[in-house]
Amino acid sequence: MRIFKGLNPQERLTLKLHLFYSGIEGIAAGALLLTEFIFIKSLKGSNVQLAFLFQFNMVVFLFAMVANEILRRYTNRKVLLRSIAIISKLPLVGLAFFPDVSHQKGLPPIYHTFFLAIFLLYFMSRIVAIPSVNQYLKGNYRHENFGRLFSYSVTLQKVAMLLSTFAAGVLLDWNPNSYKVFYPIVGILAIVSIFQLTKIKFVQKEEVIDTPLWKSLHQSFIRIFQILKNNRAFRHLEIGFMLYGFAWMSTHAVITIFYERALHLNYSSVAFYNNAFNIVAIAFLPSFGKIIGKRDPRRFSLITFGSLMLFILFTALTEYYNGYTEIFGIKIYYMLMVAVFFNGLFMGSMPILWGIGSSYFCQPDEAADYQSVHLFLTGLRALMAPVIGIKLYEWAGFSYTYATGIVFLAFAIILMIWSEKRVAR
């Protein structure tokens, strides 16, 4: 096959296992893509709880440094990852025992709490899985092939997400209680995907660590500041990520509310828009993988930050220019379709930039430390941004919240242009 052309035997095997892992992850991620909409539309959760639900996905990265220390001390990565997968993913099966939702009242508040707790536990595994994926791939892909091969796996993941999201949307419109069936399946598949990932050859640098964990954590935070202090280019990239991350996180949950309360979309319509941007992402992913392999991530980030800014802008304009047509029960807003195109560019470029951008500024044996810094800062901005976004919406409405996000993205773009011109890698 063409995608295996020019690869050595180890890269071929790694790519096969990585593709299988990504396909299963895509199926799980596609079903999860409607989680927030399910929570606010069917379960009738509150705005702030919705912010927490989105926040869990990112705020867990505050514990990235703890996870990194555990990974350094625990040499049997396969057993660790598989154990964490079972502990964090299996509770999704518990959703099968939730009562049926009431069309008007949703579920009692106690079930909102259980729902949030299950997904907090689900997302906790990311602080171990993501750095591990980075290490697995960095140790088996040559640098010149890294971006291209990574983009293939993301493309497959997006295709699987597309099919999974469509199926979930149809099922939910047919029966809003169908989430009690496919979420347990997602939990099982997520465990399978981690088991598949751990079949990739993994070589961990042997370290004799006799320092207490609390002292090692203190040293880890010192390393964070040292890396950010000494590597100016990486520091600028992370500041750009902070600005972009606040814009995205503060508007994401608000856009979910916008779909339900301003545009009155059903599940099939939300699935349609999610699939539409995923199709755009899939179309551009191979090109983005090649571009980032040849470009400084700060230049590549202009695509990511700029496309997100335009997505937010055209979503905001949908409130004022709200013409639409309805086909098979799906509301197709003309302005929102323009927004979806830019969201597709964002979603196509963001996983590559976010996943491997930090690796550009370090040596292979430093990848875990740099990725841990990146993840910790992701959790830091997630700590308040979603709730701030919800409060901005409740205080001033959709437009003001969107405008705030656009301003932050504009500053991020200006910083990236300045940094690439003034600061070498």
Side-chain angles (χ1 to χ4, degrees):
M1 293 177 64
R2 185 179 177 184
I3 63 173
F4 295 101
K5 185 177 179 180
L7 304 183
N8 62 39
Q10 186 57 40
E11 285 177 321
R12 286 172 176 265
L13 177 60
T14 300
L15 181 58
K16 289 177 182 178
L17 294 171
H18 188 201
L19 289 173
F20 189 88
Y21 162 77
S22 297
I24 296 178
E25 279 289 284
I27 294 171
L32 291 172
L33 205 56
L34 296 174
T35 299
E36 293 153 32
F37 200 66
I38 291 170
F39 184 72
I40 196 167
K41 185 176 180 68
S42 293
L43 275 64
K44 307 299 182 184
S46 70
N47 292 343
V48 173
Q49 286 177 323
L50 178 66
F52 287 151
L53 181 58
F54 171 67
Q55 186 182 49
F56 291 161
N57 194 15
M58 300 292 177
V59 79
V60 293
F61 293 131
L62 280 174
F63 303 98
M65 303 308 296
V66 178
N68 189 40
E69 283 302 323
I70 293 174
L71 292 178
R72 291 175 62 214
R73 293 161 184 269
Y74 201 96
T75 56
N76 195 333
R77 187 66 58 89
K78 179 186 292 188
V79 171
L80 177 64
L81 286 176
R82 290 182 174 185
S83 299
I84 290 175
I86 293 171
I87 294 170
S88 62
K89 316 296 185 184
L90 200 57
L92 280 179
V93 175
L95 293 171
F97 303 99
F98 271 38
D100 288 348
V101 297
S102 164
H103 181 69
Q104 296 297 328
K105 296 182 179 179
L107 289 182
I110 186 64
Y111 289 99
H112 297 162
T113 302
F114 288 147
F115 191 89
L116 293 174
I118 288 171
F119 278 96
L120 174 60
L121 191 58
Y122 180 90
F123 291 129
M124 281 296 294
S125 66
R126 300 186 75 197
I127 60 177
V128 173
I130 290 177
S132 295
V133 170
N134 198 277
Q135 285 183 289
Y136 271 107
L137 302 182
K138 193 75 174 177
N140 288 280
Y141 290 154
R142 286 171 290 177
H143 179 75
E144 60 270 23
N145 293 328
F146 196 77
R148 177 171 64 89
L149 299 181
F150 194 88
S151 71
Y152 291 151
S153 69
V154 177
T155 300
L156 177 61
Q157 184 178 8
K158 291 292 184 184
V159 172
M161 281 179 63
L162 188 153
L163 298 174
S164 179
T165 302
F166 173 77
V170 171
L171 284 172
L172 286 164
D173 275 332
W174 171 66
N175 183 351
N177 293 297
S178 59
Y179 77 93
K180 299 196 299 178
V181 176
F182 62 71
Y183 273 145
I185 295 174
V186 164
I188 300 300
L189 287 176
I191 294 173
V192 172
S193 71
I194 293 294
F195 272 65
Q196 187 65 22
L197 171 71
T198 54
K199 292 181 181 179
I200 297 175
K201 179 182 177 182
F202 183 80
V203 179
Q204 182 166 337
K205 184 178 179 181
E206 291 293 333
E207 294 185 74
V208 179
I209 303 174
D210 52 13
T211 308
L213 180 60
W214 66 268
K215 191 171 183 179
S216 293
L217 288 175
H218 176 70
Q219 294 171 349
S220 294
F221 281 102
I222 291 176
R223 283 202 304 274
I224 286 180
F225 291 113
Q226 288 299 319
I227 288 173
L228 292 173
K229 178 182 177 181
N230 297 329
N231 194 327
R232 291 183 65 203
F234 177 69
R235 180 171 74 242
H236 291 162
L237 179 67
E238 289 303 320
I239 293 173
F241 266 113
M242 291 296 286
L243 294 169
Y244 133 80
F246 182 88
W248 181 55
M249 294 178 187
S250 63
T251 57
H252 181 86
V254 174
I255 289 174
T256 301
I257 296 171
F258 182 72
Y259 284 172
E260 205 278 325
R261 295 178 185 169
L263 303 184
H264 309 292
L265 300 181
N266 58 15
Y267 284 111
S268 294
S269 297
V270 175
F272 168 78
Y273 287 114
N274 285 336
N275 280 341
F277 76 67
N278 269 319
I279 290 172
V280 176
I282 291 166
F284 282 91
L285 262 169
S287 298
F288 288 151
K290 293 176 183 177
I291 291 171
I292 199 172
K294 302 175 182 178
R295 298 286 188 275
D296 189 306
R298 289 168 292 182
R299 180 178 299 186
F300 184 84
S301 71
L302 302 182
I303 299 173
T304 304
F305 300 166
S307 56
L308 177 60
M309 183 167 62
L310 291 171
F311 164 62
I312 295 172
L313 173 62
F314 283 100
T315 299
L317 291 175
T318 306
E319 186 175 7
Y320 304 98
Y321 303 97
N322 53 10
Y324 71 91
T325 187
E326 189 167 336
I327 302 176
F328 301 118
I330 298 174
K331 285 185 177 181
I332 302 176
Y333 285 88
Y334 309 127
M335 195 63 68
L336 198 56
M337 288 304 297
V338 179
V340 161
F341 172 78
F342 289 110
N343 195 28
L345 294 182
F346 166 66
M347 287 296 181
S349 60
M350 183 269 291
I352 299 174
L353 178 66
W354 194 86
I356 66 177
S358 62
S359 300
Y360 181 85
F361 299 99
C362 67
Q363 299 302 314
D365 62 335
E366 298 175 317
D369 278 342
Y370 272 69
Q371 188 71 351
S372 293
V373 173
H374 180 63
L375 295 179
F376 174 77
L377 294 176
T378 298
L380 191 62
R381 57 183 175 262
L383 193 59
M384 291 302 298
V387 175
I388 290 174
I390 289 293
K391 290 303 179 181
L392 280 174
Y393 154 68
E394 292 179 343
W395 172 56
F398 292 114
S399 297
Y400 186 86
T401 307
Y402 296 149
T404 302
I406 290 171
V407 169
F408 273 86
L409 285 163
F411 280 124
I413 290 171
I414 292 169
L415 174 62
M416 293 299 96
I417 294 172
W418 177 86
S419 178
E420 190 194 8
K421 288 182 178 180
R422 299 293 184 90
V423 182
R425 172 185 172 183

